Amino acid sequence: MPTFLVNRKVDGLIFMGEISRRYLATAVQTGVPFMLLDFYDDAIAADCVLSDNTSGSYTMTEHLISTGRRNIGFVGSVLSTSSIMDRYLGYVKAMLRAGLPIRDDWRLEDRDDQGKFMPFSLPHEMPDAFVCNCDAVAYNLVETLKRNGYRVPQDVAVTGYDDYRYSTLCSPQLTSYRVDLDGMAKTAVAQLRRKMAHKPAIAPTVIVPGGFVRREST
């Protein structure tokens, strides 16, 4: 653990990203008030601030369905982070409600056990579209598809998530779901200040909504 935490030289702490359960459990024992930002752990009783991952991914998948795509895959290692898992569940919900097939060979792994991006293995039978768990992954997928002779979005449509810089760097630009990063950060800080003042948090889990951004990739 960091010295500043062990020696209680901070009054509060925000964990951002995906932190291991063992590390979080040790942090809990220090007694320092903390918040989780952009992730959660079902085994750790902790307040957290999240983007609306499940609904956002549902919206992206539903958009693809509305354009006539019926064979839709998902890109993301669903066991890597809680955010990817929730975005996958949103995709699954939209597919089930539309009565469309969810095929194992259309779910592409995008990172290894250490969380590092890895090359894609495209399926032998390609779907009409892919829902990606983030813009960086969508960007890499578009480049892979183009190298393999596929036209985006004519042959295969691709959506991103986050509306980060990769969404506009990509060619064609990515249809994405914009995450309200400022809103999430402000909410996390406000919640932590309440905890530091020994006031109850407004809610143990705060979900900050985002918004659909349509561009050229679909």
Side-chain angles (χ1 to χ4, degrees):
M1 301 296 292
T3 302
F4 69 78
L5 183 57
V6 175
N7 295 335
R8 295 185 63 87
K9 293 184 177 180
V10 294
D11 298 317
L13 193 62
I14 295 177
F15 290 102
M16 185 173 68
E18 195 82 14
I19 309 297
S20 73
R21 182 171 296 172
R22 178 181 294 181
Y23 196 95
L24 285 177
T26 305
V28 170
Q29 295 174 4
T30 67
V32 175
F34 69 92
M35 291 287 301
L36 307 184
L37 178 58
D38 198 32
F39 79 105
Y40 63 92
D41 191 311
D42 292 322
I44 302 292
D47 297 335
C48 58
V49 176
L50 309 169
S51 69
D52 199 357
N53 291 306
T54 304
S55 294
S57 186
Y58 178 91
T59 298
M60 301 307 298
T61 308
E62 194 174 50
H63 163 67
L64 287 171
I65 295 171
S66 72
T67 65
R69 272 78 176 191
R70 292 295 178 266
N71 301 314
I72 304 172
F74 181 87
V75 185
S77 298
V78 298
L79 298 180
S80 294
T81 71
S82 58
S83 294
I84 297 177
M85 173 64 80
D86 287 347
R87 292 172 190 181
Y88 176 68
L89 294 177
Y91 153 81
V92 169
K93 179 181 177 180
M95 296 292 283
L96 289 176
R97 291 196 66 176
L100 299 177
I102 302 170
R103 290 176 39 168
D104 289 341
D105 60 330
W106 287 349
R107 180 168 61 83
L108 308 186
E109 301 291 332
D110 70 335
R111 62 198 70 195
D112 59 22
D113 293 338
Q114 304 301 316
K116 296 180 180 179
F117 289 146
M118 60 185 188
F120 298 112
S121 296
L122 297 179
H124 177 70
E125 181 182 350
M126 288 289 289
D128 303 327
F130 282 105
V131 175
C132 297
N133 76 86
C134 69
D135 291 335
V137 166
Y139 174 90
N140 291 334
L141 177 62
V142 169
E143 293 301 305
T144 300
L145 290 170
K146 291 193 294 188
R147 285 196 300 269
N148 283 270
Y150 293 97
R151 299 171 301 162
V152 179
Q154 294 88 341
D155 299 328
V156 183
V158 177
T159 63
Y161 202 103
D162 294 329
D163 196 29
Y164 191 47
R165 60 188 179 193
Y166 284 101
S167 63
T168 54
L169 290 176
C170 188
S171 179
Q173 294 187 351
L174 293 168
T175 291
S176 188
Y177 189 83
R178 179 174 296 158
V179 173
D180 184 2
L181 298 177
D182 289 345
M184 291 175 63
K186 291 176 181 177
T187 301
V189 171
Q191 290 278 68
L192 182 58
R193 292 184 67 179
R194 291 183 64 86
K195 292 166 69 71
M196 291 164 54
H198 305 291
K199 298 179 180 179
I202 297 173
T205 301
V206 179
I207 298 178
V208 179
F212 174 73
V213 181
R214 181 169 185 172
R215 295 195 179 91
E216 302 172 17
S217 55
T218 59

